[in-house]
Amino acid sequence: MSPETQAESTPRTGATLDAAAWLASVSIDPAVAALRPDYHALLITAEGLRPGPSDASSEEMLARAEVTARERIGDGPVEEHPHIAAWREAFRSFGAKPQRTRPSAEALLRRAADGLPRVDRLTDIYNAVSVGHFLPLGGEDLDHYAGPARLVRADGTEVFDTTAGGEPATEHPTAGEVVWRDDLGVTCRRWNWRQCTRTRLTHDTTRALFILDALGAMDDQALSAAGDALTEALATSSPEVKINTRLLRASAA
């Protein structure tokens, strides 16, 4: 079974949930707050999205993001940007090696010089915002969530749905690893490194959750600017979209 077929056949477990109420249920475990009390995230739910393949608008966004990244990085190493450096340190704090499993924003920024991947309309939009604002940003299908999202330190028994060699596979996070999860298992490993197949965006996605990750090197104003860029792009791509937002802080956990 291909990843696309698997994603389409997964029951839409959250198809009837109220997005605003669900957003209020998202939480950060105190163990994560103790690890990085400076963590804060802007959570955005979007309903009424128009999914589909990459188009001229998403191509333009990616092209602009590539230019912005090249201008801001110059000849310097990506990992020396203050926010990227902070994320590398956060990964080290729970035992991950950022040279092998990079924070998502760093992985994308390293590809900007040669061209960012073109995936689909919604993924291209959030990747462009991630690169343009130097922050990790993930998008997931809200209808495939089971229960509330929570950021926790894994015990190592949780299920993570992925692929290996093009076939469905199951992994388990390392004990102590920071992960996003719901009632069925891990939705994103190593904070923002890799998303599971169950909740990933597809050409059927009409309701999504976007998580914009920030540490102390990025203040609320910069995080809000990234969120505004994302919501404006989603509104342009999907004129009927309905947006809900929430700023979540580890310090309040």
Side-chain angles (χ1 to χ4, degrees):
M1 180 185 294
S2 71
E4 290 78 7
T5 302
Q6 179 197 39
E8 291 172 0
S9 63
T10 302
R12 300 179 74 79
T13 52
T16 61
L17 64 78
D18 176 86
W22 182 89
L23 193 59
S25 72
V26 179
S27 64
I28 299 174
D29 189 90
V32 176
L35 189 71
R36 290 298 306 214
D38 61 336
Y39 174 70
H40 49 296
L42 183 61
L43 308 179
I44 299 174
T45 60
E47 301 175 273
L49 292 169
R50 184 172 65 90
S54 303
D55 59 14
S57 179
S58 64
E59 169 63 33
E60 182 181 358
M61 282 193 68
L62 286 170
R64 288 200 308 267
E66 290 164 352
V67 171
T68 297
R70 287 192 286 266
E71 289 177 345
R72 292 182 63 185
I73 295 171
D75 295 327
V78 172
E79 61 268 25
E80 290 185 1
H81 183 276
H83 200 218
I84 301 303
W87 272 109
R88 288 170 66 89
E89 182 57 35
F91 272 41
R92 292 189 189 97
S93 70
F94 60 83
K97 297 180 179 180
Q99 295 86 347
R100 295 181 60 188
T101 56
R102 303 185 191 281
S104 64
E106 179 185 348
L108 281 173
L109 284 161
R110 287 177 175 274
R111 301 182 67 174
D114 296 324
L116 294 167
R118 273 60 175 169
V119 183
D120 57 59
R121 181 184 295 116
L122 298 178
T123 304
D124 292 352
I125 287 172
Y126 81 71
N127 278 346
V129 174
S130 175
V131 169
H133 291 262
F134 284 63
L135 86 165
L137 199 169
E140 303 188 56
D141 192 316
L142 190 57
D143 286 341
H144 288 292
Y145 264 84
R150 45 275 191 203
L151 187 66
V152 304
R153 298 197 71 176
D155 63 23
T157 64
E158 299 89 347
V159 172
F160 178 74
D161 297 322
T162 186
T163 58
E167 296 296 325
T170 298
E171 295 178 355
H172 302 279
T174 304
E177 183 179 320
V178 176
V179 301
W180 281 100
R181 66 158 302 165
D182 66 1
D183 291 348
L184 291 181
V186 173
T187 55
C188 190
R189 287 194 61 186
R190 296 177 188 168
W191 221 318
N192 49 56
W193 170 60
R194 179 182 293 171
Q195 295 168 299
C196 77
T197 53
R198 170 170 56 89
T199 59
R200 72 178 181 180
L201 302 183
T202 71
H203 287 187
D204 294 321
T205 300
T206 59
R207 300 202 304 166
L209 165 70
F210 298 94
I211 302 174
L212 291 76
D213 285 327
L215 295 172
M218 173 172 278
D219 61 21
D220 286 350
Q221 183 176 0
L223 180 57
S224 178
D228 289 345
L230 177 61
T231 56
E232 289 170 9
L234 292 174
T236 298
S237 176
S238 306
E240 303 300 318
V241 70
K242 178 182 177 182
I243 299 290
N244 290 289
T245 66
R246 181 186 175 195
L247 180 62
L248 190 63
R249 297 184 186 279
S251 58

